Amino acid sequence: MISKAGLAVIDALSTGREATPSNLATETGYSQAHIYEVLDDLLDAGLLVERRGPNNQRQVRVAAHPVNEAYRTLHSELSHVDWATLLSPATLNVCWFLDDPRRVSEIAERLKISRQSVHKALSPLKHRAMLSASGPEYAASKDLAPLLAFAQAIVTHEHRSRARELAPSATVEWCDPKRALVRVQTTEDTDALLDAPDWQVTALGRFEEYGLQFFLAGEPAFWYAPDEELTPAEVVCHTLVLDRGSRRVSYAMLLIEALDINQEALTDTATWYDLEATVAAMYQALQDGVTDSDESPVVLPSEAEFRALKEQYGVA
């Protein structure tokens, strides 16, 4: 996560100009020694580019990067706010969850922090009337869409960088501040993540663990969530995030049937992936049979197709 000093540097360079470490130390108020450390981190992250000026002096500017573009949009649309002072890494993490009304306890549980820490992270926004409160829930006010986009760009960049240190072909398909679902394109990258701590095979590649062996057309997907158990409900959701075609939906329904996954538990998990309507349609089909409807949020397999799939894999 970008530090407050790193954000101050990006803010100072957001107009596209070049600056020396000495200039940036003066403008941001951080020591020159600390600025050198910050610049090295931002260069390593691909957020800055550097050249040598007169007397071999370092000159840096922002790179063409989604994080910088998101910050530029935030700065231009809400220029009256001193974002570099306001936003800490903790506040940016919490902002990830504010696109919908959320309880503080819900955010705390997802981030594995205390409710007091969530309140502390929210306080700079609450003090400036940037949050819409609805009972015990909070959400960002409508004009703060650029802030949410910036938080999402930061978090996605962090996960992408972590994955590509091990697997250069990795792409992030879904993430939140603590978790990431990624694809890779090469067997070398698959082997690297299989050998790495904190990474687990998920989605269709995980079905074998439950006695359901499927042929994978490409490399398996991987899940990053340190110190968390990968549940069957998560595996169903990952399968649907990666591919919501009727064939993959039928596989997800097969896993639900094979493991008798509780609907309430799966619905709770699906909330984080915006899959509640899809899960509801799948359970309705499992309980009442498939019905043709133009209003269904997902293409379901026909009854004959699903029955044949169940027979093929011996699922009662």
Side-chain angles (χ1 to χ4, degrees):
M1 183 63 68
I2 294 177
S3 66
K4 293 196 76 168
L7 187 55
V9 167
I10 290 175
D11 183 80
L13 298 172
S14 61
T15 59
R17 70 184 181 90
E18 287 188 334
T20 66
S22 177
N23 296 148
L24 292 169
T26 300
E27 292 181 38
T28 64
Y30 291 95
S31 71
Q32 192 162 326
H34 186 48
I35 288 295
Y36 276 117
E37 295 175 0
V38 170
L39 294 182
D40 287 342
D41 289 341
L42 295 176
L43 286 162
D44 288 344
L47 298 178
L48 298 183
V49 291
E50 180 184 61
R51 72 175 182 86
R52 293 290 173 168
N55 302 318
N56 203 34
Q57 191 173 39
R58 297 175 74 177
Q59 299 273 355
V60 296
R61 58 181 173 82
V62 291
H65 192 283
V67 168
N68 293 329
E69 293 302 319
Y71 186 75
R72 188 176 288 116
T73 299
L74 173 63
H75 191 273
S76 65
E77 295 191 15
L78 298 165
S79 58
H80 61 286
V81 180
D82 184 358
W83 295 110
T85 300
L86 187 68
L87 296 177
S88 67
T91 300
L92 285 167
N93 273 343
V94 171
C95 281
W96 175 273
F97 298 101
L98 298 182
D99 55 338
D100 290 317
R102 305 279 190 193
R103 292 175 178 266
V104 166
S105 58
E106 189 179 18
I107 297 172
E109 183 178 355
R110 288 295 289 182
L111 289 176
K112 306 300 182 185
I113 59 177
S114 68
R115 284 179 289 181
Q116 182 180 5
S117 296
V118 175
H119 279 297
K120 184 177 179 181
L122 286 174
S123 61
L125 305 180
K126 289 191 289 186
H127 293 161
R128 291 161 178 80
M130 293 180 176
L131 298 182
S132 302
S134 176
E137 299 179 331
Y138 289 97
S141 57
K142 292 182 179 179
D143 59 350
L144 286 184
L147 172 58
L148 301 187
F150 179 56
Q152 291 162 2
I154 288 277
V155 169
T156 303
H157 167 68
E158 183 178 10
H159 283 300
R160 184 186 298 113
S161 298
R162 178 185 296 110
R164 288 185 176 177
E165 285 182 2
L166 300 168
S169 71
T171 56
V172 177
E173 301 296 329
W174 179 94
C175 65
D176 73 11
K178 291 289 185 181
R179 306 158 187 84
L181 174 65
V182 306
R183 292 183 194 261
V184 297
Q185 303 299 321
T186 69
T187 56
E188 293 81 5
D189 286 354
T190 292
D191 291 342
L193 292 184
L194 285 173
D195 291 339
D198 300 329
W199 292 91
Q200 304 177 69
V201 171
T202 189
L204 205 58
R206 193 78 177 188
F207 279 43
E208 183 180 3
E209 183 175 308
Y210 308 115
L212 303 172
Q213 177 86 45
F214 288 99
F215 172 74
L216 296 180
E219 302 301 318
F222 287 87
W223 179 237
Y224 174 83
D227 305 319
E228 287 190 13
E229 179 186 1
L230 178 56
T231 66
E234 295 278 7
V235 173
V236 169
C237 289
H238 298 165
T239 301
L240 297 171
V241 167
L242 295 170
D243 186 343
R244 225 175 296 186
S246 63
R247 193 65 178 166
R248 289 300 176 97
V249 169
S250 67
Y251 295 160
M253 291 170 61
L254 185 70
L255 187 61
I256 291 171
E257 286 271 83
L259 301 183
D260 193 21
I261 299 174
N262 177 268
Q263 183 174 356
E264 183 178 355
L266 180 51
T267 300
D268 287 345
T269 300
T271 300
W272 299 104
Y273 300 91
D274 196 24
L275 289 170
E276 304 99 307
T278 297
V279 166
M282 290 163 58
Y283 273 100
Q284 183 176 0
L286 289 171
Q287 294 161 4
D288 303 328
V290 178
T291 57
D292 293 329
S293 173
D294 293 335
E295 297 180 1
S296 176
V298 66
V299 178
L300 297 165
S302 69
E303 290 227 31
E305 290 172 336
F306 190 58
R307 189 183 309 113
L309 186 66
K310 289 173 65 175
E311 290 174 357
Q312 179 182 351
Y313 285 94
V315 175

